[in-house]
Amino acid sequence: MLKVFNTLTGKKEEFKPIEEGKVKMYVCGITVYDYCHIGHARAMISFDVITRFLRHIGYDLTFVRNITDVDDKIIKRAEENGETTSELTERMIAAMHEDEVALGNKLPDLEPKATEFMQQIIDMIQVLVDKGFAYQGNSGDVFYRASKFEEYGKLNNRKLEEMLAGARIEVEASKEHPADFVLWKPAKDGEVSWDSPWGKGRPGWHIECSAMSTHCLGNHFDIHGGGPDLKFPHHENEIAQSEAATGEQYVNYWMHCGAVRVNNEKMSKSLGNFFTIREVLEKFNPEVVRYLMVSSQYRSSIDYSDASLKEAKTALERLYTALRGQEVAQSYVATDYTTRFEDAMRDDFNTAVALSVLFELVRELNKARAEGSEQAATLAAELKALADVLGLLSQDPEYFMQNSTISEGISAEEIEGYIAERAQARKDKNFARSDEIRDLLLEQGITLLDTREGTTWTRG
């Protein structure tokens, strides 16, 4: 049985797809005006792992994640850069994909862009206007009439008035109610715009996801996911728009990943603790970042710091060390480790417990290696297969051990040269020089390991 924590009900529930054996999942993507940050990495990796596991246990999954490529922030940044909005968004989309691939994520099956679904967006707004759920204000903006949707607030389990009390609500004189939100806004001179029944303009953010998700997956689908900051108002507004427009339940299971905190503080540009994925990958191997993100269950918050990344590096090195120089069988018969790993993942994708099973498997693999058992190769194959569900152990063990941190210091070629010199010194019984080379490398963060097969090294 697969259990999923449903934000809509506030509890874990048995997962039952609408259509047996098939899952339709939509995840809110990025507004592409800047490089992705580590908070984005958390959401990307969380739903990549969920995708991998659902497919691992046999579901035919359709994974859709949108791209917001028209937005006030995009227009402002393009103006600041002296480029068109399309030039900016195309550049940022390419960068986003580069970051994703580096982190080991598999790209979604469908990746709709808001600018490509303008007619569907306009059509949905028109339905809402026709049904009395939307109106055009004096400003020319088209607003959603939040108070007309009786279940508004059900995702956050709060009434409309309660949510208004603690939220930053944009107040406009042309609104009927402070909670009403924009579906369509008139364009200013020179801004990108589209023709509509309400004049030239562009959509509000919330309506984009409603139109794209229902077009790609149908009016009613299984899972909708996103970051913790999207529960209100974005996802609450999506429900109101979609269900008012279609007359059907929008989504069965709402899933939200945890936040990323930096040194126990909320990540913020104003606090100077804001890091892009690219900045982090200049210091650490991408798989170390990924390990940190899966080391706790996806709904938990994660504390990001150099110290936490170093802990992740050390833990991941333990897994890779078990495979270093180890033959890996082409196939294996699943053992109790596979059962326990899958049980952990079936419990709301509990990657923390799943990882603990992998470390137990590593202990048995190391024991089998020490005993010269043929079982070591099949245990190694099982370890790699289960780790792949988490997107881990995808690199050559030797490469990872030498590149778990990114250094501007001594190069791999120089290290190999020192190792060759040290080998000759030992052959000549010049142990003083041999020790000198080891100490020299150690000062630069290079640890040597002498084995029967020769000398290997690890950076960091």
Side-chain angles (χ1 to χ4, degrees), residues 128-407:
L128 292 171
V129 169
D130 293 343
K131 288 186 171 186
F133 282 94
Y135 61 94
Q136 188 167 22
N138 296 332
S139 60
D141 298 87
V142 178
F143 295 101
Y144 182 90
R145 195 172 270 123
S147 58
K148 184 174 173 61
F149 186 70
E150 293 181 1
E151 292 186 293
Y152 193 88
K154 65 180 178 179
L155 180 65
N156 291 269
N157 195 28
R158 296 167 71 191
K159 293 182 179 179
L160 181 60
E161 294 73 20
E162 294 173 336
M163 288 188 289
L164 283 177
R168 291 167 57 187
I169 299 294
E170 189 178 340
V171 178
E172 290 186 22
S174 59
K175 288 184 179 182
E176 294 179 354
H177 189 283
D180 295 350
F181 54 89
V182 174
L183 300 175
W184 188 264
K185 54 179 67 178
K188 297 174 184 176
D189 291 342
E191 287 185 347
V192 60
S193 64
W194 289 262
D195 290 325
S196 81
W198 316 282
K200 282 186 171 294
R202 64 182 189 277
W205 176 37
H206 310 302
I207 194 66
E208 295 175 0
C209 282
S210 288
M212 287 186 283
S213 62
T214 54
H215 177 84
C216 294
L217 297 175
N219 294 343
H220 180 205
F221 54 92
D222 299 293
I223 298 173
H224 194 312
D229 55 327
L230 299 180
K231 286 170 60 178
F232 182 79
H234 185 53
H235 288 164
E236 196 71 65
N237 291 350
E238 272 193 71
I239 292 173
Q241 296 163 159
S242 304
E243 297 190 358
T246 67
E248 300 180 41
Q249 181 178 346
Y250 182 37
V251 173
N252 283 357
Y253 303 89
W254 285 86
M255 301 177 68
H256 295 89
C257 63
V260 174
R261 299 178 65 81
V262 179
N263 294 316
N264 289 313
E265 289 187 308
K266 184 177 179 181
M267 187 174 67
S268 166
K269 285 185 178 180
S270 62
L271 294 175
N273 63 359
F274 181 91
F275 300 97
T276 67
I277 293 172
R278 297 184 164 218
E279 289 171 331
V280 178
L281 297 189
E282 288 176 359
K283 297 172 65 177
F284 289 91
N285 185 297
E287 207 166 290
V288 171
V289 179
R290 187 178 183 95
Y291 184 95
L292 174 63
M293 297 297 174
V294 302
S295 60
S296 61
Q297 201 254 9
Y298 76 96
R299 287 191 290 115
S300 304
S301 61
I302 283 183
D303 185 49
Y304 168 88
S305 65
D306 278 358
S308 61
L309 280 168
K310 287 174 182 176
E311 290 175 5
K313 175 181 102 56
T314 299
L316 189 52
E317 283 175 345
R318 285 177 57 198
L319 297 180
Y320 268 109
T321 298
L323 295 175
R324 203 173 191 181
Q326 171 61 49
E327 178 187 355
V328 179
Q330 293 295 314
S331 61
Y332 68 94
V333 176
T335 67
D336 180 59
Y337 295 111
T338 294
T339 301
R340 290 168 54 211
F341 176 93
E342 292 180 349
D343 285 347
M345 292 296 288
R346 286 179 186 275
D347 184 15
D348 195 30
F349 309 97
N350 197 328
T351 52
V353 175
L355 276 173
S356 70
V357 175
L358 295 190
F359 282 106
E360 291 183 39
L361 175 53
V362 161
R363 284 196 288 272
E364 184 164 342
L365 168 55
N366 289 337
K367 181 180 177 183
R369 286 183 72 174
E371 295 173 350
S373 170
E374 294 181 0
Q375 188 186 15
T378 56
L379 289 172
E382 187 173 17
L383 173 63
K384 276 188 66 70
L386 296 180
D388 184 65
V389 176
L390 306 180
L392 300 175
L393 301 186
S394 62
Q395 300 177 23
D396 175 76
E398 200 65 36
Y399 173 85
F400 175 82
M401 296 298 288
Q402 296 172 4
N403 295 277
S404 56
T405 55
I406 311 303
S407 173

